[in-house]
Amino acid sequence: MRPIEIQIHQVSGQLGLNITQPNINLKITAPNIEMKTTPVSLDLTIEPPEILIDSKASFESMGLQGTYSFANSLAEEAKQACIQGIEKRVSVMHQMEDPHSGSIGQIIAAASKPREKQLVIGLSPSVRPDISAKLGTIKGTYTPARIDATVKEGTITNNFTWGKVDIYMEREPSIDIKT
């Protein structure tokens, strides 16, 4: 007899893998902050102080006058001179009516004496000037600083795909026995 020869031919099976990786697709939008600032404001209105000096009385005490004051005093003097002149003429007429008062020439000579006017100018005033003051003011308008902000929130968008493993038989196992 012949020995029996058995041949076994074995082919291993082979598995194949299809791997799909997991995928994370993130889209991120950063938040947006818009800021508008208004600076502080201070507006000042200043009214300066005033010093008022009225030296009219001081000048008049020295015999010095302003234009209007001088004109008024001359007008007053002219009025008084006119009244005195009228009174003098009336007095002369009354004297002329009286036959015992003397001759007309004597009456007119006595009435026509020049009038003397005395002008006095001083070197220093006898009356102090009138000094007054008005205080100044400062008014302010204050507006505080301001910050206005607008915030747009950021976004996160997620597109996620799960990973997976597909197993398939790439080669079938087999055993081949031959005698």
Side-chain angles (χ1 to χ4, degrees):
M1 255 231 234
R2 232 168 89 174
I4 302 186
E5 191 176 300
I6 300 176
Q7 283 185 345
I8 301 174
H9 187 279
Q10 177 182 354
V11 177
S12 297
Q14 187 174 358
L15 294 177
L17 296 176
N18 252 346
I19 300 173
T20 304
Q21 295 291 330
N23 186 16
I24 297 176
N25 187 6
L26 293 177
K27 183 179 179 184
I28 300 173
T29 305
N32 185 13
I33 300 174
E34 293 179 9
M35 296 179 77
K36 180 183 176 188
T37 59
T38 305
V40 69
S41 172
L42 179 61
D43 294 323
L44 295 176
T45 304
I46 300 172
E47 186 178 316
E50 291 182 36
I51 298 176
L52 304 170
I53 301 173
D54 184 8
S55 56
K56 179 180 171 186
S58 297
F59 285 127
E60 286 179 354
S61 74
M62 293 187 303
L64 303 173
Q65 296 176 327
T67 306
Y68 293 113
S69 177
F70 186 60
N72 287 339
S73 67
L74 287 179
E76 186 61 33
E77 278 183 39
K79 181 179 171 185
Q80 292 301 323
C82 181
I83 292 172
Q84 287 175 358
I86 292 172
E87 287 175 355
K88 214 180 237 189
R89 291 203 196 288
V90 169
S91 170
V92 168
M93 292 309 238
H94 285 303
Q95 286 178 4
M96 287 186 176
E97 288 176 350
D98 185 13
H100 302 295
S101 59
S103 70
I104 292 179
Q106 290 173 338
I107 295 173
I108 292 179
S112 63
K113 286 185 183 174
R115 214 178 60 151
E116 289 185 21
K117 180 178 177 183
Q118 185 176 10
L119 178 63
V120 177
I121 297 178
L123 297 176
S124 64
S126 60
V127 177
R128 292 197 293 185
D130 183 25
I131 299 173
S132 61
K134 178 182 170 189
L135 296 177
T137 59
I138 298 176
K139 295 178 183 176
T141 303
Y142 171 75
T143 306
R146 183 180 165 140
I147 298 176
D148 295 316
T150 304
V151 178
K152 292 182 182 175
E153 292 184 10
T155 58
I156 299 176
T157 306
N158 177 13
N159 188 3
F160 177 73
T161 307
W162 286 97
K164 68 180 181 174
V165 177
D166 290 325
I167 303 173
Y168 62 92
M169 189 61 76
E170 192 171 294
R171 186 177 40 191
E172 292 287 329
S174 64
I175 297 180
D176 206 8
I177 302 175
K178 288 186 185 177
T179 53

